[in-house]
Amino acid sequence: MTPPPAAAARLDSAPLPVSEKKKVHRAAPARADRPFRGIALILASTVFLGASDVTAKYLSGTLPSIEIAWIRFLVFALIMAPAMVPGSPIFALRTPRPGLQLARGAALLGSSLFFISGLRFLPIAEASATGFVSPLFVTALSIILLGESVGLRRWLATAVGLIGVLIILRPGTSAFHPAAFFPLVSALAWAGTLIMTRMMSGRERAVTIMTWSSITGVCILSALVPFVWIAPSWNDVLFGVFIGVASTAGQWIVVLAFRYADASVLAPFSYTQLLWVSILGFLIFGEVPDVWTVVGAVFIVASGLYTAHRERVRRLQISVQAEPSPNA
């Protein structure tokens, strides 16, 4: 799955520890408050990310999921290659947390691999809508891994999102397909990716995280792909390269978007990716989302938007509490 990497995009604008602020500030462009530019960029990113997912579904008819993911991460690694060269101005392999970087890269790989696996069996609109449940998993994992407290309203929003998932999947009915678990596992892996990104917030540049992720993914998949290898046609190779370029471009555009606007402003527009994949799914595969998929997607989107709103409120409360009193 290639949803917008919101947490990763906020790295360059995250509060920095005093001891590291000067060093990181030189490498990270300053944030500007230009919400309309940010919205335009996030809308552009959804086109790239949606096209990448649709192309992956097309390739899943002829190539194994592992091979599709391998081509994607290979292109990703080639794009990030300049950041791997010692002495390069953008050299990005130095990190104080290599273990966490590897874990994040493995989680990102799992998210991509499980999502592509689900595309082989599911309509793309259904798989994409289910995959957008990841903010709900972030809420749960933030308690376990970050020690955050979650209020009643955020838990209610999570429950609404889960109801949306049940509406789409309809377990226990003839409409249920076991492959529906793939985008759910993909969303869980993506949530883990975002949590680990948040753990590195303010300590790592976005280029460092993306470089390590590309290396981790291509190394793991290179060990697996010989067992499932099917010789691709030239068309398959070209489509695979397109997937890698489109997904990488989409992620970088998101990074740029979050330099101009907050997550709470951009979150509603990131869901337009569902519109693009639905349109492309109809034009290319003749898939028409049924009413249950649409209703379930509405529940999931509403839950995600409210969760983003509560996250913004929480950050504002923290900033207010941290601001010294003028009467102190």
Side-chain angles (χ1 to χ4, degrees):
M1 184 184 180
T2 50
R10 291 197 298 272
L11 281 178
D12 292 334
S13 59
L16 305 179
V18 174
S19 61
E20 301 179 23
K21 186 172 183 179
K22 183 176 180 181
K23 179 180 179 181
V24 179
H25 179 71
R26 289 198 300 265
R31 188 181 180 281
D33 187 17
R34 298 179 180 176
F36 290 108
R37 180 175 295 187
I39 291 169
L41 286 169
I42 209 72
L43 289 173
S45 75
T46 62
V47 177
F48 283 95
L49 297 173
S52 173
D53 288 346
V54 171
T55 308
K57 178 174 176 61
Y58 177 80
L59 275 185
S60 67
T62 57
L63 296 180
S65 301
I66 291 176
E67 190 169 345
I68 297 172
W70 177 75
I71 297 174
R72 174 181 175 179
F73 272 85
L74 179 62
V75 174
F76 184 16
L78 290 175
I79 293 174
M80 302 306 300
M84 305 177 194
V85 180
S88 168
I90 59 171
F91 181 67
L93 290 183
R94 293 190 185 90
T95 174
R97 297 185 173 186
L100 190 58
Q101 292 280 13
L102 292 173
R104 184 194 181 277
L108 177 63
L109 167 60
S111 176
S112 178
L113 190 56
F114 279 107
F115 186 74
I116 295 174
S117 299
L119 290 177
R120 184 184 295 269
F121 306 100
L122 302 172
I124 189 165
E126 178 180 328
S128 298
T130 305
F132 267 99
V133 78
S134 57
L136 313 184
F137 290 128
V138 170
T139 297
L141 290 177
S142 64
I143 299 174
I144 301 172
L145 300 178
L146 300 179
E148 294 183 357
S149 59
V150 177
L152 177 61
R153 283 175 287 190
R154 287 176 69 187
W155 277 122
L156 290 176
T158 300
V160 169
L162 293 178
I163 291 173
V165 172
L166 293 176
I167 292 174
I168 293 175
L169 304 186
R170 283 159 285 167
T173 70
S174 59
F176 176 74
H177 195 294
F181 285 111
F182 285 131
L184 278 177
V185 177
S186 170
L188 178 60
W190 179 248
T193 302
L194 295 183
I195 289 293
M196 284 182 275
T197 303
R198 188 179 298 178
M199 293 169 68
M200 292 184 282
S201 178
R203 297 174 176 83
E204 300 280 12
R205 294 177 297 157
V207 65
T208 300
I209 292 178
M210 293 185 70
T211 302
W212 275 84
S213 294
S214 68
I215 293 174
T216 304
V218 79
C219 288
I220 294 175
L221 289 169
S222 294
L224 298 176
V225 75
F227 297 101
V228 298
W229 180 261
I230 293 177
S233 66
W234 281 110
N235 282 338
D236 293 337
V237 172
L238 291 176
F239 281 128
V241 171
F242 174 79
I243 292 172
V245 172
S247 61
T248 304
Q251 291 182 49
W252 271 116
I253 292 173
V254 170
V255 171
L256 295 176
F258 277 84
R259 289 177 184 165
Y260 295 107
D262 291 332
S264 57
V265 174
L266 299 179
F269 300 94
S270 67
Y271 286 102
T272 56
Q273 186 173 330
L274 292 175
L275 176 63
W276 298 125
V277 298
S278 298
I279 293 174
L280 292 173
F282 171 72
L283 295 176
I284 298 174
F285 308 109
E287 298 174 350
V288 179
D290 60 24
V291 64
W292 297 110
T293 299
V294 175
V295 172
V298 170
F299 274 74
I300 292 173
V301 171
S303 171
L305 294 180
Y306 186 77
T307 299
H309 166 69
R310 291 305 305 170
E311 182 70 16
R312 177 175 178 272
V313 171
R314 187 179 68 88
R315 289 200 308 271
L316 289 175
Q317 290 174 341
I318 292 175
S319 64
V320 169
Q321 293 172 358
E323 183 177 350
S325 170
N327 298 319

